[in-house]
Amino acid sequence: MQDFIKRYPGTAQTAPSVDSGFPWWLQLQHFLNMLFMMFIIRAGIQILADHPRLYWNRDCTPGTEWFRFQHPVPQGRIWTAKDDAVTLPSWLGIPGLRHTIGLARWWHFSIDLLWVLNGVAFYIMIFATDQWLRLVPVTWDVIPNALSTAIQYASLNFPTESSWTRYNGLQQLSYFVTVFIAAPVSITTGLLQSPAISNRLGLLGSVLNRQVARSVHFISFTWFVFFILAHGIMVFITGLRENTNHMFAGVKSPGWVGFPFFVLALVLVGLAWWAASPFTIRHARLVQKTGRIMVGWIKGLSEWWEPTAELSEADISPHFWPNGTMPNSAEYEHLVSCKFSDYRLRVGGMVESPHEFSLADLKAMRKQQQITTHFCIQGWSGVAEWGGVKMSDILDMVKPMPGARYTVFYSLAEGSDGGCYYDVHEIFNMRHRLSILAYEMNGEPLSVLHGAPLRLRCENELGFKMVKWISAIEFVSDFKDLGAGQGGYNEDHEFYGYRMPI
C-alpha cells in the first residue's frame, strides 16, 4: 500500500498545472451556483413531495414503485393523486405547505434557467482559459491517483494539497462528473418529463419515458446533494484558510483574507434559505407572475411543437390515477341517471356559428382514437386509449372570430375551494392533431371518475389543463375577467401557469 501511495501520491504528476489561480469570474460563478442550487434542491424536494413515489415503469401502478416516502395506497376507497401528496416542513421545501407544487415549480424552473445560464457562461470561460485543465482529466493516471486519495482520506493521513495549480485525482473526477455528467443529465431528464417534449421525440421519448426520466433525475439530485455535503465538509477539514483564500479571495496567502468573504457568502445563502418559504407564502401571486415572466415564454414556444407520440395497446396502464374534485350537484346526478341522454355541450362566445351538441351528436361526428401518455403536474403518468371528436372539427363548425384568441373550457364540477372549475387554452393549441374531446377511455364509455361524459385531451399539456366533466366551451379575446384572471381555476387558486407544456 505504501508503494502504491508513493507511486500515486494523489495528484497525477503528468497532469498539466493551471497557472491562472482562481480568477474573479470563477469566484462569482461559484457563489451563484451555491445560491442557485439551494433553491433548486429545496423546490425539487417540494415537487417530489406531491407524488412521493418513483418508478421505472411508465404506468405508476401503486406497489411497483422502487422508492417512496409515503405509506402504501389504501385499499377499499378512492385514493387520488392529490390525497397522496405529503407535507414538508417550511425549512426544507419551498414553500413547505402540502400540495404547493405550483409555487415550487416556478422557483424550480426560474432558478434552473439562471443556473443553466451561469453554467453556459462557466463552460465558455473555462475553455477560453486554462481552467478546464483543473476539471478535465488528460491522463489515465487520474484513476489510481483518485483511489490513492480516497485511501489517504480514509486513513486520516491526508495527501499534500496543491489545488492552487492542480486538483488531486479524487477532486478532479468528482468535479468532472458533477460539471460534465450530472448537470447535463439533470437538465435532459428534467426536460424529458415534459409532455410537449416527450410526446414529440418518438422512440427516445418512449424509452426514456417520464418515469424513467424522473427516476434518473432523482439519482442525479442525490449526487448533487452528496457532492455538496462532501465538498463542504472537505473545505473545513483539508484547510479552511487555504480553501477560502482560493475560492473567495482568489489569492494564495498564509493569511485569512478569504475567510470573511466565505462567512458573508454563508450568511447570504442562509438568509435566502430562511426567507424563501415565508416570502413565497406571503407573495404567492408575485412568485407566479415572476416565474411567468422568466420562463413562461419558453413554455409558450413549446406549445407550437405539435405532439405526435402514440403508443400501442400493450402500453396501456393497468392503473390510471384519479384526480380532481368530482361533480356534486343535482344537475350532474340527473345526467348520470339518464346516462347523459339530456347532456348538452354549449359552444359559444366569439364565434360565427354557436352550437349546442348532445352526446349523440358528438358520437355521430368523425371519431378519432389515440393511445397517449397522460402527464400530471404532480409527477405521475399513465397511458390510455382515448376516443372522441377532434377539436379542429369543432372549430371548423363554430368558426371562431378573428379577435378570438383563447378557448375556455368549463366543468360541471367545482374546484377544491368552491366555484366552477375552468381552464384556458390558446386556440392554435386546439388545432393540433391530438387535441380531442374524449367520450371513451380504453374502448369503454368514459367513466364518471375520469370525466364523463366529456373531457379534453391535449397531449402537449399537463393533465390539469385537460378539463373533465365539460359543460361548455367559450371563445374569448382575453381571460383577465375570468376568475382571478390567471387563465384557469388552478392558476387562480394554486398558482399554476396557464401555459403548461413543460
Side-chain angles (χ1 to χ4, degrees), residues 194-202 299-310 368 370 372 390-392 427-436 457-461 501:
S194 154
I197 294 173
S198 181
N199 281 337
R200 180 69 185 190
L201 293 182
K299 294 174 181 287
L301 288 175
S302 61
E303 282 183 343
W304 289 92
W305 203 1
E306 182 169 357
T308 57
E310 295 186 69
Q368 175 165 302
Q370 58 198 49
T372 53
K390 294 182 68 171
M391 270 302 301
S392 60
I427 287 182
F428 74 82
N429 210 23
M430 296 295 95
R431 290 198 177 276
H432 288 328
R433 184 177 65 84
L434 297 180
S435 295
I436 67 171
R457 294 302 310 171
C458 181
E459 307 300 350
N460 64 351
E461 298 284 356

Side-chain angles (χ1 to χ4, degrees), residues 75 78 85 201 220 397 453 491 497:
Q75 302 297 313
I78 295 175
L201 293 182
S220 68
M397 292 179 69
E491 293 88 324

